[in-house]
Amino acid sequence: MTVKLAIIYYSSYGTNHQMAAIAAEAAKAAGAEVRLLKAPETAPDHVVAGTDAWQAQAEKAADIPNATAEDMEWANAYLFSAPTRFGIMASQMRAFIDTLGGAWAKGALANKAVSAMTSAQNAHGGQETTLVSFYTTIMHWGGIVVAPGYTDGVIFKTGGNPYGYSHTQGTDFTDEVKSAISHQARRLVEVAAKLG
């Protein structure tokens, strides 16, 4: 069975975009068909344009399609990546998820393997609660949470978060960081393939 993985991210300044791209490469190498997608921007254009780094990221990601309910129905696995905002996912990601009521109501989101990643400006900026906020939604869908747990030693080397990779904004994407993200993506593909 081919795993059809939708990687949906939101990124104001590029951190989660980079995390999603690393995961996409690892998932493709593991044999998955991957769609790299972004949650639609909900901030007004003038607000985005008023912050140089935000505008630069919007331009960099202009060719990446916005995620849709059709993408969610196409996929048989999902990997989400979004920054934390006050201990939960960024509102842009939440807004996208809130558009999926029709797909959820007909069972199109159930029984699919799901994992999540996040970032924050500081090491204890709400990453774990943000990941749990994703997984709470997934449980409502009837999805199957595939957290990395402590299934690879690299988890301990990159912060020890068993819920999903979390990045401190502004720190480097070292080989260990890339390895942790890649491990999570591969694990998701492996579990999704087993679910058939």
Side-chain angles (χ1 to χ4, degrees), residues 81-174:
S81 189
T84 180
R85 294 289 186 267
F86 302 107
I88 59 173
M89 68 187 79
S91 63
Q92 290 88 342
M93 182 64 77
R94 185 73 244 173
F96 168 67
I97 287 173
D98 286 346
T99 69
L100 301 174
W104 166 80
K106 63 183 181 180
L109 308 178
N111 304 319
K112 297 181 182 186
V114 188
S115 201
M117 305 183 295
T118 191
S119 68
Q121 209 166 17
N122 56 312
H124 301 286
Q127 290 98 323
E128 290 182 355
T129 56
T130 297
L131 294 169
V132 170
S133 77
F134 274 110
Y135 296 150
T136 301
T137 296
I138 302 320
M139 287 184 266
H140 281 253
W141 291 353
I144 298 155
V145 173
V146 183
Y150 295 112
T151 56
D152 190 286
V154 75
I155 306 301
F156 294 101
K157 295 176 183 177
T158 56
N161 187 340
Y163 303 99
Y165 178 73
S166 58
H167 194 81
T168 302
Q169 185 183 0
T171 61
D172 292 335
F173 280 87
T174 64

Side-chain angles (χ1 to χ4, degrees), residues 38-90:
K38 64 188 177 196
E41 183 60 75
T42 58
D45 291 342
H46 74 277
V47 172
V48 175
T51 304
D52 291 343
W54 200 349
Q55 180 63 35
Q57 173 57 29
E59 291 169 4
K60 181 178 179 180
D63 63 335
I64 296 174
N66 285 334
T68 66
E70 290 75 22
D71 293 309
M72 300 298 284
E73 293 190 37
W74 164 84
N76 52 29
Y78 310 125
L79 178 58
F80 292 98
S81 189
T84 180
R85 294 289 186 267
F86 302 107
I88 59 173
M89 68 187 79

